[in-house]
Amino acid sequence: MRPAPPPREPAARTPLTWLYVPGDRPEVVAKALHCGADVVVIDLEDAVAPDRKDRALRATAELLSDPAPGTAPVQVRVNALDGPRAETEIRTLAALPGLAGLRLPKVQGPADIHRAAGWATTAARPAAGPALTGRLATGRRARTPGAAVAPLTTGTTHPAHPARAARTARTARTAAPRSATATLTPAAPAPAALPATPALYALLESALGIEHAFAIATAHPALRGIALGEADLATELGVRDEAGLAWPRSRTVVAARAAGLAPPPQSVYPDVADLDGLARSCARGRALGFLGRAAIHPRQLPVIEAAHLPSPEEVEAAAEIVRAAGAEGGAQALPDGRFVDAAVVAGARRVLSLAERRN
């Protein structure tokens, strides 16, 4: 009798909602951590007045010194990378155990990602005991000076996407030592390991950022996602309605998928009272290939989630495709005339995985 296979680890929950909260209001942040958002984003940028930004950074650092500050992962949007605050913010926050990622505003090109990653890997970190080797007190993988930065992983491991695998290989070649000659000479004590680069997310908010979307998406192994910042972009482009944003939106989706990243979330819907308009806007975004959305009020969260989850009809159709593929294998036509190949089956499996959130 064949032994039962070991239990499979559950796949990481696909985030659909990112709730932005001002970093200078700890009481609002505390409520947001338990309001049902998939990710809470503490904002140090637009939501905080200039004279309160130091206070916001102190409060955020205090919160993230806790490895589990709430029920949702916590990311932080820092200030503009070309301004006077971003370096201090990134160095202060990058190694804290409660940080799930850094959102980088107004990214113009790959150099911005490399600059932020450099600040993050030289961040101040909590003191660790001598027995900690290979991992930091934060639980993140350590990186020795000069070593390639490996992508952080969460949930189920997937095969590397060609664009991301090539980028990681380039990084590894650049960092490889010139000689691997063995020696019996006792090694000197290893220098203190640098913290691994936290997950980075680039916000494209300018015409130049959109032009460089794919280069940004493949700039660094720690770059985990890109997203569109539509308010600043619309102002720069001088567009008067959503039609003017159609190409930047599609460009962002295509760049993310070409780089092997998750589909990007939609930008915020600014009218928190217009939930019907939010639902319609989410439906249009989902049709363009976006998945999930940033929010600025908890009342927007259920609307966003409902709009980006597959309908019962979509789930039924996906289940039929997966059943047919499992029974027959290879390309085939379903009774209703739909053609099914490997790409269609993969899409159907993504639909079923997303539908599990309803259970």
Side-chain angles (χ1 to χ4, degrees):
M1 183 176 178
R2 181 178 297 177
R8 296 178 61 186
E9 294 185 5
R13 178 181 172 95
T14 300
L16 293 180
T17 54
W18 289 257
L19 179 61
Y20 276 79
V21 288
D24 62 335
R25 299 183 62 188
E27 72 285 357
V28 175
V29 174
K31 292 179 181 178
L33 291 172
H34 303 280
C35 74
D38 293 324
V39 180
V40 171
V41 181
I42 299 178
D43 192 7
L44 303 182
E45 193 203 17
D46 291 343
V48 180
D51 63 347
R52 295 177 64 88
K53 288 186 182 289
D54 289 340
R55 179 186 306 181
L57 178 57
R58 287 194 301 269
T60 301
E62 181 178 356
L63 175 74
L64 297 181
S65 64
D66 183 344
T71 57
V74 179
Q75 298 177 4
V76 177
R77 179 168 72 171
V78 298
N79 280 279
L81 299 178
D82 59 357
R85 295 184 176 273
E87 180 177 0
T88 297
E89 291 168 347
I90 291 173
R91 290 186 189 277
T92 299
L93 301 173
L96 296 180
L99 180 72
L102 292 168
R103 301 188 81 80
L104 311 175
K106 301 175 177 60
V107 173
Q108 305 270 40
D112 290 336
I113 303 301
H114 285 281
R115 184 161 67 249
W119 293 337
T121 54
T122 55
R125 61 191 173 106
L132 293 178
T133 59
R135 285 184 178 269
L136 303 177
T138 64
R140 298 191 183 93
R141 290 170 295 173
R143 184 171 78 89
T144 54
V149 180
L152 302 179
T153 57
T154 56
T156 306
T157 301
H158 301 280
H161 185 279
R164 296 179 67 78
R167 180 175 73 251
T168 303
R170 289 195 302 270
T171 306
R173 286 196 300 269
T174 303
R178 295 180 180 272
S179 172
T181 305
T183 177
L184 297 179
T185 304
L194 294 173
T197 311
L200 304 176
Y201 299 86
L203 304 180
L204 312 183
E205 306 180 67
S206 67
L208 186 57
I210 295 298
E211 284 296 305
H212 291 159
F214 181 72
I216 291 168
T218 56
H220 195 280
L223 198 287
R224 295 311 186 76
I226 61 175
L228 199 56
E230 293 186 354
D232 287 2
L233 179 63
T235 299
E236 180 177 334
L237 297 178
V239 301
R240 295 172 179 253
D241 55 36
E242 290 198 353
L245 293 173
W247 186 83
R249 288 171 175 171
S250 292
R251 171 64 175 148
T252 303
V253 171
V254 171
R257 302 306 285 149
L261 302 173
Q266 289 180 266
S267 187
V268 298
Y269 189 81
D271 188 345
V272 299
D274 183 13
L275 298 184
D276 290 338
L278 170 62
R280 291 191 297 271
S281 177
C282 287
R284 291 192 295 269
R286 186 178 172 219
L288 286 174
F290 288 96
L291 184 60
R293 189 163 202 161
I296 53 176
H297 195 284
R299 69 165 62 103
Q300 296 178 315
L301 301 178
V303 178
I304 294 170
E305 180 169 358
H308 281 276
L309 285 176
S311 67
E313 293 77 16
E314 290 172 313
V315 173
E316 182 179 354
E320 181 184 2
I321 291 170
V322 171
R323 284 194 301 268
E328 301 293 338
Q332 58 185 293
L334 297 180
D336 63 2
R338 284 177 296 158
F339 181 77
V340 174
D341 62 7
V344 174
V345 174
R349 290 197 171 108
R350 287 195 297 269
V351 169
L352 296 180
S353 176
L354 195 57
E356 292 177 358
R357 289 177 60 109
R358 295 188 186 276
N359 301 331

